[in-house]
Amino acid sequence: MQVFQRIHDQLLAKGTVDPRQVHTPLALPSRELLCLVHSAEYVDAFLGGSLDEQRLRRIGFGAAAATQTLINRTLAEVAGTLLTAELALEHGLACNTAGGTHHAFRDTGSGFCILNDLAVTAELLLRQGRAQRVLILDLDVHQGDGTAAIFAGRRDVFTLSVHAASNFPARKQASHLDIGLPDGCADDQYLSTVAEALTGVLQTFRPDLVLYDAGVDPHIDDELGRLAVTNEGLRRRELLVLDTCVGSGVPVAGYVGGGYASDLAVLAGRHCWLHRAAAQLWHDRL
Ligand SMILES: [Zn+2]
C-alpha cells in the first residue's frame, strides 16, 4: 500500500503534478453504491469485518482484510476511482494514484483485490446516464477476471484485457476481448498489440469513457510479470493509450493497477509514467 503514497510524493517532488491538480474524495462510498456490482451479503461481510476464511485466503491479505484500516483504505480507493472518472468526464483526462482492483468478483475478492472499483464506477456512471458506453481497458499483466465476470454479456460495457497468457489467474474469465501474450513478450510486439486492439475497439464500440488499468507488472523486472516490457516501453504505452483516447475525443481515466518490486521507489517510478504521460498530454493537447 505504501507505493500509492510514494507515487503521490514522487509526482509532487518532481513537479510532474502541481498541488492544485490534486483532488481528494470528499466521502467514502455508501453500501448501496458497492451493491451496484457486489452482492449485499459480500458487502456486509466486508464492511462488518466478518469475511470467512475462504474469502480471506483468496483475497491474500489474511486477517488484515477484516481490519478497519484496510476496510477504510479499500473504500477510499473506490471513492478515488469514481472521482477520477468524474474528473475525466469533466476535463477529458484524469489519473488516480491508486485503483484498478480488477480481480474482485461480485461475491468475493481475489488476488489482493477486495472491491472492484472499476466496475462500481462504470456501473454508477451508466445508471446516472453520465456515460452510455464504457470501455474498461486492462493492461495489467494479469487478466482482469473479476471485471470480465461482472460485465459478461453486457452491451454497454466493453472489457478489453491484454495480459500474460501463462500468468494468474489460472482460470481466465471471458472478457469481451482477451489477448493473452506469450512469456517474454517485449516492447515492439507488446505495443503494436495494444495499439491495434485499442484502436479497433474505439472504432467499433465507440465508448464515451475509458477506464484504463495501467498495471506496470508487464515490466521486464517485475517480480510477478513474465513479460519483458522496458521502462521505455512503459513510457511509450502510457503516451500511446492516453493520446489515442484523447485524440479520439474520448475521456480517459487512468488507474495504477498492479506492480511488484521490493524497491518501492523504483516501483513508484514505473507507475509515474502514467501521470507523466498525462501531464505531457495535458500541456500539449488539452
Ligand atoms: Zn497484476
Side-chain angles (χ1 to χ4, degrees):
M1 308 312 146
Q2 295 164 339
V3 73
F4 302 130
Q5 185 68 45
R6 292 261 189 156
I7 294 167
H8 171 270
D9 295 349
Q10 271 195 24
L11 291 171
L12 288 170
K14 296 194 173 179
T16 311
V17 168
D18 187 288
R20 290 169 299 182
Q21 293 175 294
V22 178
H23 300 256
T24 306
L26 298 176
L28 296 179
S30 66
R31 174 183 181 276
E32 288 65 34
L33 180 58
L34 304 178
C35 289
L36 289 179
V37 302
H38 294 288
S39 70
E41 184 271 329
Y42 176 56
V43 169
D44 289 340
F46 163 66
L47 292 176
S50 60
L51 290 170
D52 57 68
E53 278 301 315
Q54 191 181 356
R55 281 167 167 162
L56 289 177
R57 251 198 321 277
R58 188 165 177 188
I59 289 166
F61 292 131
T67 61
Q68 200 59 48
T69 302
L70 196 54
I71 292 170
N72 285 345
R73 193 199 69 83
T74 303
L75 292 172
E77 189 166 54
V78 174
T81 292
L82 175 58
L83 174 60
T84 306
E86 291 173 331
L87 288 166
L89 285 173
E90 188 180 344
H91 300 290
L93 173 62
C95 293
N96 199 351
T97 53
T101 43
H102 59 168
H103 297 308
F105 287 76
R106 181 174 185 277
D107 292 317
T108 185
S110 174
F112 307 113
C113 302
I114 301 175
L115 299 172
N116 197 312
D117 59 332
L118 302 169
V120 170
T121 295
E123 187 67 51
L124 178 67
L125 295 174
L126 287 163
R127 292 203 187 194
Q128 289 177 334
R130 296 160 81 186
Q132 310 301 317
R133 288 178 306 281
V134 178
L135 166 60
I136 300 179
L137 170 64
D138 192 331
L139 300 187
D140 188 283
V141 84
H142 305 100
Q143 194 215 22
D145 55 347
T147 319
I150 287 169
F151 291 121
R154 288 279 291 266
R155 298 170 67 92
D156 53 354
V157 178
F158 194 105
T159 53
L160 166 56
S161 180
V162 181
H163 49 265
S166 69
N167 216 321
F168 176 92
R171 188 150 61 97
K172 308 283 191 287
Q173 302 293 318
S175 309
H176 291 82
L177 177 58
D178 284 300
I179 301 177
L181 296 168
D183 287 7
C185 180
D187 288 0
D188 286 348
Q189 181 187 356
Y190 181 79
L191 291 166
S192 62
T193 302
V194 169
E196 187 178 342
L198 175 58
T199 305
V201 173
L202 287 177
Q203 285 172 354
T204 54
F205 180 65
R206 294 183 296 107
D208 46 24
L209 175 65
V210 176
L211 305 182
Y212 169 37
D213 185 329
V216 295
D217 38 16
H219 192 275
I220 187 167
D221 295 328
D222 190 272
E223 291 171 5
L224 300 180
R226 298 195 188 178
L227 301 188
V229 177
T230 64
N231 280 330
E232 174 63 10
L234 281 182
R235 187 188 74 79
R236 287 167 59 196
R237 183 189 76 171
E238 311 311 21
L239 274 174
L240 164 73
V241 169
L242 299 183
D243 194 30
T244 301
C245 294
V246 170
S248 304
V250 185
V252 55
Y255 300 99
V256 159
Y260 305 91
S262 51
D263 187 330
L264 289 184
V266 169
L267 179 60
R270 287 177 200 157
H271 285 300
C272 284
W273 286 120
L274 172 70
H275 306 81
R276 287 192 201 110
Q280 182 179 330
L281 276 177
W282 185 260
H283 181 266
D284 292 351
R285 298 191 63 142
L286 290 165

